[in-house]
Amino acid sequence: MKRLTNIKKILIIDFGSQFTQLIARRVREFGVFSEIVSHTDISNLNHSDLFGIIFSGGPLNVYQNKEIKLNKIIFSLGCPILGICFGHQLISKHYGGKVKSSKIREFGLAKIKKVKNSLLINNFFNKSNFNNVWMSHADHVTKIPKGFKKIASTKDSKYTIIENLKLKRFGVQFHPEVTHTKKGKILLKNFIFNICKAKKNWSSKHQKNTLIQNIKKQVGKEKIICALSGGVDSSVVAQLLNKSVGKQLKCIFVNTGLLRMNEEKQVINTFKKKLKINLIYVNAEKQFLSKLKNISDPEKKRKIIGKLFIKIFEKYAKKIKRVKYLAQGTLYPDLIESKSVTGSKSSKIKSHHNVGGLPKKMKLKLVEPLKLLFKDEVRKLGTELNLSKQIISRHPFPGPGLAIRMPGIITKEKIKILKMADFYFINELKNQNLYKKIWQAYAALLPVKTVGVMGDNRTYEYICLLRAITSTDGMTADYFNFSKNFMQNVSNKIINNIKGINRVVYDVTSKPPSTIELE
Ligand code: XMP
C-alpha cells in the first residue's frame, strides 16, 4: 500500500475491526497524525516515520495462521506497540502466551480492576481502582508471555491489560477507542504521549489544506458535479470543492420526495441565494416514488434510491457536457458499515445509499474527500471553511431520507404524515433548547395501526416512533433522556395536529444493539 504521507505518525495496523478508523481519529484528535494500513501490507515501513504502532481488533482468531498475513518484522522495529482486543491476543501469542476461546464471552460494558501501576493507565482508574470498559470478544488470553505483567483484570478475563515495559509492548482486551469506555481517551493519550513520546503535528487547518491539495490533484482541469443534499457533509464537500476547483464545479440538488418538511426551499435559499453556489435543482419526486412502489425490503429501498441518484447525476453530467467527476459526502461510517476501506473483513451491516447503490460500471469517477472522516471531524472542518453555524450544527439526515424511516411500503399518504410528525418533533426540540444537546433526532412511522379513542370515537391509525440519540460519531449511540413533560407535550402536539397518528412511542435502544436509523 502506498503511504499517504511521510509525516511522522502513529501507525494503525488493521485486522478488520469495525473500530479501526475510530482509533485513527482518536489519535488525530490529540493533534498527532495517524495512518491505517492493512495487516496484509506493511511493506516500505520506515522506522523513523513512526512514533508508535497500534494493532486493531478484528474478527480473526490468533490461530488462523493462513488468514493472518502480518509480517513479523513489525515486532523488531523497536517502537512501542499497543494491541487492542485481537491485537492484544496477537501480541500475547507472538511472545509465547496462550489464547483460548472463552466460555463466557464479554460484549458491552465490563467492570475492570487495576492490580498494578503502569504508565499506560495513569488517571484511567477511579480512586477505588475500578473502571467501566467496552468489550467485544469471544477469545481471551489465558497465559501471558514471560516478561509480561498483568496490570488489570475483569471477573471473566484475567489478563485485561498487560505490559512488557522493557520491550514497550502493551495489550488491552477492551476497546479504549469507543466512547463507552470511560476515560478510554486517557489510556490512548498515555500511550501516544507518555510511551511513544509523540509530538503534535496534525490539525483541522492541516486537514483542510491537505484535502484541498488532494482534490486539485485528483480533478485537475476536469469538470465536476457535486451531489448536494444541504446536510453538513455535502455542504462541506461543496465548500471544499469551491475552494479547490470552484470554476469547474456544478452542484446538483435532487428532491427525492423523501425530504423533510420544506427542505427543498431551505436548500435553494442557502446555497443559491446566500452562498452563491452554482446549483441545479432537480425535482425527481415522481421517479423515486414510482420506483419504490410496493418495495418494503430495506436493502432494496437503499439500492433503488442509490441507483436512481446516480442515474440522475449521469443524466445531468451529460447535459453539462464533459463532466468527469462526481463528488459526494460519503463519510467513514458509511463505508465501514457497507464494506471496509482497507479491504479487510469487517462485516457488512447496511448498504448506505452513497456506497451500496453505485453501479459497477459507473461512468463518472467518484471524489469523496470526507471518506476517512467522522461527523464531528467534518463539523470542525466546516468551521475551518467558514460555513454558518446553522449548517454545521444540523442533525445528520440519511441519503435515502424518509424511505428508511418508514418500515414497510412507501405511500404518499405516509410521507405526508411523517413529514408533519418530524416537523413537530424537531420544532419542539428547538423551542425547548434541546436540539443542540442531541446528536440526531427524528420521527418514524411504523407500519402498524392500533386502536385509540379520540373525542369518544374509536380511531385506528399509525404509530409514530420518536428517536433521539446522543453520540460523538454515529458509531455508538445512547438514547436521550427526555423529561415526562417534554414527551407528553410532543405526543399531544403530534396527535392533536396530525390525522393518521393516534399513538406515539419512544425508542430507548442504544447502538449497538440497534442502529440509529430503523432500516
Ligand atoms: P445507522 O442507522 O447505520 O446510521 O446507525 C449511522 C448514521 O448514518 C446515517 N445514515 C446514512 N447517511 N446515507 C447517508 O448519507 C445513508 O444511506 C445512511 N444510512 C444511515 C444515519 O442517519 C446516522 O446518522
Side-chain angles (χ1 to χ4, degrees), residues 302 337 350 352-353 396 398-400 439-440 511 515-517:
R302 284 176 171 276
E337 294 191 352
K350 292 179 187 180
H352 282 224
H353 96 267
W439 197 80
Q440 189 170 7
K511 172 184 177 174
T515 52
I516 295 171
E517 301 292 343

Side-chain angles (χ1 to χ4, degrees), residues 485-497:
N485 212 6
F486 177 87
M487 299 246 77
Q488 260 173 344
N489 205 8
V490 174
S491 164
N492 283 347
K493 282 215 164 117
I494 289 176
I495 291 179
N496 292 348
N497 286 290

Side-chain angles (χ1 to χ4, degrees), residues 95 144-150 163-167 169:
Y95 289 101
I144 48 172
K146 235 183 168 176
F148 277 70
K149 282 183 187 154
K150 176 174 81 175
E163 75 163 23
N164 182 326
L165 197 56
K166 207 166 146 208
L167 292 177
R169 301 290 178 258

Side-chain angles (χ1 to χ4, degrees), residues 438-501:
I438 290 167
W439 197 80
Q440 189 170 7
Y442 66 84
L445 200 66
L446 299 185
V448 255
K449 289 187 174 180
T450 64
V451 173
V453 52
M454 285 164 94
D456 292 336
N457 285 318
R458 178 189 193 266
T459 56
Y460 187 56
E461 293 174 342
Y462 287 114
I463 300 179
C464 169
L465 173 141
L466 303 180
R467 183 128 169 88
I469 53 109
T470 53
S471 176
T472 49
D473 42 43
M475 295 291 281
T476 55
D478 203 355
Y479 76 91
F480 187 79
N481 208 357
F482 288 114
S483 67
K484 183 175 177 192
N485 212 6
F486 177 87
M487 299 246 77
Q488 260 173 344
N489 205 8
V490 174
S491 164
N492 283 347
K493 282 215 164 117
I494 289 176
I495 291 179
N496 292 348
N497 286 290
I498 308 169
K499 199 169 177 311
I501 295 174

Side-chain angles (χ1 to χ4, degrees), residues 254 256 288 304-313 353 399:
V254 179
T256 56
F288 276 92
I304 289 172
I305 294 169
K307 271 189 192 138
L308 193 49
F309 257 111
I310 296 297
K311 216 172 138 192
I312 292 170
F313 292 128
H353 96 267

